[in-house]
Amino acid sequence: MAEAPGPLERLLGSESGIEHVPAEINTEKVSIARIYDYSLGGKDNFAVDRAAAAAMMEVVPEAMLLAKANRYFLRQAVRYLVGEAGIRQIVDIGSGLPTVGNVHEIAQDIAPETRVVYVDNDPIVLAHSRALLASNDRTTFLNADLREPDAIFGHPDTVRLIDQSQPFAVLLGGILMHLEDEEDPEGVAADLRDRLPSGGFLMVSNTCDNGEPRAMELSRVFAESGMGSRCFRSWDEQIRYFDGLELVEPGLVPHNQWRAGPDIPEPDSPAHSMHIGGIGRKA
Ligand SMILES: C[S@@+](CC[C@H](N)C(=O)[O-])C[C@H]1O[C@@H](n2cnc3c(N)ncnc32)[C@H](O)[C@@H]1O
């Protein structure tokens, strides 16, 4: 039996063939968003992405588990921010391709009035997110770059949806690790913290150098696959992303330990220490 088409095929039409993929989507070059989609069990990816994912799994067979755990932490964070902390405005930078349990779906399930601005610099995310969000007037998508925060926070859609004088949350799920040291991830995090009003939150999740040699090996395979950087920074380096914020319990920890919920994939795998996440609150 033929498999059901994924959102990309539905968007492009299953008969359309590769030549009808929008010009800005390069099917020959790997994409972080599409590899992540593949790792989560999605269908919006091409052979080049699947080959790169296979290369990563040769080094770390639990690579797909790590992606699922990253997504789990994102869900946990949104449940906490909207369900417990009362946040009703979210800017999700490096949002990735829509998948099951998107930020706006979790948030608006808990509090329908929650507004969400999604941001990603991959054109494939733009194509999908526009289709998904066409009928949701509390949610929008910007094709923009984390390294240009003024373009994000000054964008008319952000200004329309997010009252930046009131508490809002910035989500940086699996994105700072894609910035090189020269791109100053600490400075980028500091800029975002400065934009938060009192009562605002910063969520960060990233790969972590847990001392295992295969962490460095995975970083190398990632770069050699043409995906750019996936830096494994230490806990000590990453805690600085939260400078001046109050860390929400239990702090900056492996994803399976952040208020472990029922939907954590394979909760006991030792590989979880290769990914950490935390949430900080501005006093
Ligand atoms: C690993 S995915 C994470 C998706 C989602 N945040 C999550 O945690 O499940 C990282 C995303 O960040 C995006 N990205 C990477 N660098 C970026 C940048 N400089 N500006 C905006 N988006 C970026 C990629 O296109 C990709 O969709």
Side-chain angles (χ1 to χ4, degrees):
M1 201 173 88
E3 281 198 23
L8 181 61
E9 284 168 276
R10 290 201 297 275
L11 190 74
L12 302 172
S14 54
E15 306 296 319
S16 59
I18 220 92
E19 69 271 20
H20 291 132
V21 173
E24 67 273 22
I25 296 173
N26 186 344
T27 61
E28 301 297 323
K29 187 176 179 314
V30 288
S31 143
I32 294 171
R34 296 192 319 243
I35 288 180
Y36 186 60
D37 169 75
Y38 175 69
S39 303
L40 293 174
K43 295 182 176 179
D44 298 321
N45 44 75
F46 299 108
V48 67
D49 307 308
R50 295 189 283 275
M56 287 195 290
M57 283 175 66
E58 272 187 30
V59 181
V60 177
E62 307 96 325
M64 288 170 111
L65 169 65
L66 292 178
K68 291 191 170 87
N70 184 69
R71 195 72 193 179
Y72 160 80
F73 172 65
L74 179 76
R75 293 196 296 272
Q76 287 285 86
V78 176
R79 288 175 192 137
Y80 164 77
L81 290 166
V82 181
E84 287 186 47
I87 285 293
R88 296 292 180 266
Q89 316 190 91
I90 298 175
V91 181
D92 178 8
I93 309 179
S95 50
L97 278 161
T99 179
V100 179
N102 295 299
V103 165
H104 74 286
E105 292 163 342
I106 298 170
Q108 292 170 359
D109 238 24
I110 300 170
E113 69 275 25
T114 309
R115 276 117 36 224
V116 179
V117 174
Y118 287 116
V119 180
D120 204 288
N121 67 355
D122 189 326
I124 198 164
V125 182
L126 169 71
H128 280 274
S129 302
R130 286 229 170 116
L132 175 76
L133 302 174
S135 59
N136 189 323
D137 60 4
R138 280 151 295 133
T139 307
T140 195
F141 178 84
L142 309 182
N143 188 212
D145 198 294
L146 170 66
R147 293 162 293 189
E148 293 174 2
D150 287 342
I152 297 173
F153 289 90
H155 192 283
D157 285 346
T158 310
V159 171
R160 176 173 60 84
L161 286 176
I162 310 287
D163 176 351
Q164 295 171 43
S165 69
Q166 295 301 311
F168 65 94
V170 174
L171 311 184
L172 297 180
I175 181 169
L176 283 176
M177 64 195 194
H178 295 303
L179 297 189
E180 298 276 6
D181 290 348
E182 304 77 73
E183 294 174 299
D184 190 16
E186 274 185 47
V188 169
D191 176 281
L192 295 173
R193 290 195 307 269
D194 286 349
R195 290 172 192 269
L196 291 175
S198 169
F201 288 85
L202 177 67
M203 174 280 234
V204 179
S205 77
N206 284 306
T207 43
C208 177
D209 178 4
N210 64 349
E212 281 193 62
R214 59 189 192 146
M216 291 305 127
E217 184 65 2
L218 188 57
S219 189
R220 185 187 59 74
V221 169
F222 197 85
E224 282 177 1
S225 301
M227 289 179 272
S229 304
R230 185 180 179 189
C231 302
F232 282 69
R233 299 190 168 93
S234 68
W235 187 94
D236 287 350
E237 285 173 287
Q238 298 196 41
I239 195 68
R240 298 204 284 264
Y241 298 147
F242 301 96
D243 267 359
L245 304 184
E246 297 164 350
L247 265 187
V248 175
E249 284 296 320
L252 180 60
V253 295
H255 292 147
N256 61 329
Q257 292 172 23
W258 208 92
R259 302 192 177 191
D263 54 344
I264 173 78
E266 296 180 38
D268 300 327
S269 168
H272 283 303
S273 62
M274 294 173 91
H275 260 242
I276 55 175
I279 301 176
R281 179 182 181 278
K282 191 156 178 176

